[in-house]
Amino acid sequence: MARKMLDCREFPSESGCTLTLIGEEAEVLRAGMAHAVDVHGHADGEELRAGLRAALREPAEAAT
Ligand SMILES: [Zn+2]
């Protein structure tokens, strides 16, 4: 199972959000979209989805 990580710290935000999502790509994108719209006020759409997808990382990269 290939899990992906989305770290909200990679996005500039005034709230200094530190949320990290880890799961399968579809799950992370779905939760990330909801989070970005709900918490950060982004507009739902393909542009947001593409931005989130571009920010996906391998979870192992984060294990320091
Ligand atoms: Zn956030």
Side-chain angles (χ1 to χ4, degrees):
M1 182 166 65
R3 296 203 303 170
K4 297 288 184 182
M5 182 187 76
L6 185 66
D7 191 341
C8 210
R9 290 175 299 180
E10 298 218 7
F11 299 93
S13 77
E14 287 138 34
S15 56
C17 184
T18 61
L19 183 74
T20 300
L21 297 166
I22 296 177
E24 293 200 41
E25 181 169 330
E27 297 170 333
V28 171
L29 284 176
R30 187 186 186 121
M33 292 283 282
H35 173 74
V37 171
D38 179 36
V39 177
H40 299 291
H42 288 286
D44 197 345
E46 271 312 304
E47 196 176 319
L48 176 59
R49 182 178 295 273
L52 294 180
R53 188 178 285 122
L56 289 177
R57 298 285 180 267
E58 298 298 325
E61 289 177 26
T64 54

